[in-house]
Amino acid sequence: MIAESWMKQGRDVAIATVIETWGSSPRRAGSQLVVDNAGNFEGSVSGGCVESSVIAEAVDVISHGKAIMLEFGVADETAWKVGLSCGGRIKIYLERLG
Amino acid sequence: MDPFCLKKLNQERRERRAVVLLTDLTDGRDRVIKESDPVVGELGEAIRKAFLTGQSGVKEIGGREFFLNVYLPSPRFVVIGAVHISEVLAPLAKIAGYEIEIIDPRSAFATPERFPDVTVYPDWPQDVLRERPLDAYCALAVLSHDPKIDDPALELAINAGCFYIGALGSRTTHAKRIERLKQLGFIDEHLDRINAPIGLDIGAIGPHEIAVAIIGGVIKAFRARGHQDKDIN
């Protein structure tokens, strides 16, 4: 709903969706985050642990238009950097609207 | 994501209809699937399960990965009768994830003092439900003990295909109720959908235990949506 209203305002939008989770993760599959090209966002895909990283990627996805898959987890060095310390793993599908 | 799909998805959500957004993760194409849309095979089975459980997830079929994102309308629980059971049922239902709405035209019953933090309509059910129609994602429990108040709500709930319809009263009371509804043209198939005596059969005594039986019945019916031929007791 937010994505649609942003689109109507003429903003370029990307949608991040949690598609798989393993172990303990704060948001279940289907949770979404809507980001515009200025980095404004609504919703959540984790308890705040990976959002900043997803938003940074989203700005790229908005510019090139190609959907990407992001994975965060304990096995992933960058996950520690962005602090997914809950011990879970999540897979996020990030796509541009339109 | 296709903006057309997004508009269609949001339209369905506004209309309180269940939808699955099916995304082919291989090429990024998406499709909006309604509960009534026929989808066959392995994918159809996965979609049917997603509608039933409300759980989104990835499914691999024929070497392609699909993401099924399920959007179910939040269930409404409408209670007819601002009675003692409703007082106990309101907080209990809330804990179980259902915000109840109480309708009772007897304004002496339907007071904010008796029902703090609950939406209470001191009007006739047919008037309130004309403004806020019932649908397949609604549960209805009639508890007023007054056919003038209960029956019109039951008629609307049967016609709307509510996932749960429960009616308080003994077997004798219910037999009379069935007779009245038959005179209005309802057939056994419709009337069998009414859960009476109300709630799960846990041998409930008194308002508190009856409230537990009712919320148990609602949860069970919601989890068994689409298998309504089964006896929910």
Side-chain angles (χ1 to χ4, degrees):
Chain A
M1 307 255 182
I2 292 156
E4 191 180 342
S5 68
W6 285 13
M7 183 177 70
K8 280 183 183 153
Q9 290 165 14
R11 291 153 80 173
D12 292 322
V13 176
I15 301 170
T17 308
V18 175
I19 64 163
E20 271 181 299
T21 67
W22 297 266
S24 92
S25 48
R27 301 284 281 142
R28 57 184 220 157
S31 305
Q32 290 180 317
L33 177 75
V34 181
V35 188
D36 74 3
N37 55 344
N40 298 304
F41 69 98
E42 286 270 353
S44 74
V45 287
S46 73
C49 332
V50 303
E51 268 76 2
S52 57
S53 160
V54 173
I55 291 159
E57 295 281 356
V59 175
D60 286 348
V61 167
I62 290 172
S63 66
H64 61 62
K66 211 168 146 353
I68 56 166
M69 201 70 80
L70 300 171
E71 275 189 61
F72 300 97
V74 286
D76 185 339
E77 287 289 304
T78 58
W80 282 112
K81 264 188 251 161
V82 294
L84 193 76
S85 52
C86 45
R89 259 197 324 137
I90 55 173
K91 201 166 171 181
I92 294 168
Y93 183 65
L94 182 58
E95 61 185 330
R96 183 172 77 178
L97 179 60
Chain B
M1 185 184 185
D2 180 358
F4 176 75
C5 271
L6 178 70
K7 282 185 184 165
K8 197 170 158 190
L9 172 73
N10 285 343
Q11 183 61 28
E12 291 300 311
R13 289 176 69 192
R14 278 189 286 268
E15 306 277 333
R16 283 182 55 81
R17 281 191 293 264
V19 277
V20 165
L21 179 72
L22 181 73
T23 306
D24 184 333
L25 296 173
T26 324
D27 60 15
R29 281 166 46 176
D30 33 43
R31 256 172 78 189
V32 174
I33 296 164
K34 299 184 207 172
E35 214 165 359
S36 55
D37 288 345
V39 189
V40 293
E42 213 181 326
L43 190 57
E45 183 55 30
I47 289 167
R48 198 193 62 79
K49 200 175 152 199
F51 275 123
L52 209 53
T53 60
Q55 305 243 341
S56 303
V58 175
K59 182 86 187 161
E60 199 192 314
I61 293 161
R64 295 180 89 89
E65 265 199 328
F66 294 94
F67 180 60
L68 287 73
N69 206 354
V70 199
Y71 297 85
L72 296 186
S74 54
R76 273 173 69 197
F77 187 4
V78 177
V79 173
I80 308 299
V83 296
H84 193 176
I85 296 172
S86 324
E87 278 179 58
V88 190
L89 185 57
L92 199 60
K94 194 170 187 168
I95 290 170
Y98 291 87
E99 293 275 352
I100 74 170
E101 305 162 29
I102 297 172
I103 305 175
D104 196 325
R106 301 167 298 186
S107 48
F109 286 74
T111 64
E113 290 75 31
R114 294 183 62 217
F115 295 95
D117 309 321
V118 182
T119 308
V120 180
Y121 299 95
D123 290 303
W124 289 91
Q126 56 273 43
D127 294 336
V128 177
L129 298 174
R130 194 183 305 122
E131 294 298 314
R132 299 174 44 74
L134 295 170
D135 57 45
Y137 285 86
C138 292
L140 176 90
V142 301
L143 310 176
S144 87
H145 269 311
D146 182 342
K148 281 202 305 301
I149 303 172
D150 286 347
D151 287 7
L154 285 173
E155 289 175 45
L156 291 169
I158 295 168
N159 291 332
C162 289
F163 74 86
Y164 178 83
I165 307 171
L168 185 68
S170 65
R171 285 189 168 78
T172 320
T173 308
H174 189 59
K176 287 183 191 154
R177 179 185 289 134
I178 293 289
E179 279 315 305
R180 289 194 305 273
L181 291 169
K182 275 189 176 167
Q183 282 176 7
L184 294 171
F186 288 103
I187 56 171
D188 286 338
E189 194 191 330
H190 301 137
L191 301 171
D192 289 348
R193 300 240 10 251
I194 302 174
N195 174 216
I198 199 165
L200 297 182
D201 185 7
I202 55 170
I205 291 174
H208 297 81
E209 293 181 10
I210 294 171
V212 171
I214 294 173
I215 193 66
V218 169
I219 293 169
K220 188 169 181 184
F222 188 69
R223 293 299 166 206
R225 281 167 4 264
H227 303 287
Q228 278 150 350
D229 49 329
K230 284 182 194 158
D231 183 359
I232 61 164
N233 280 313

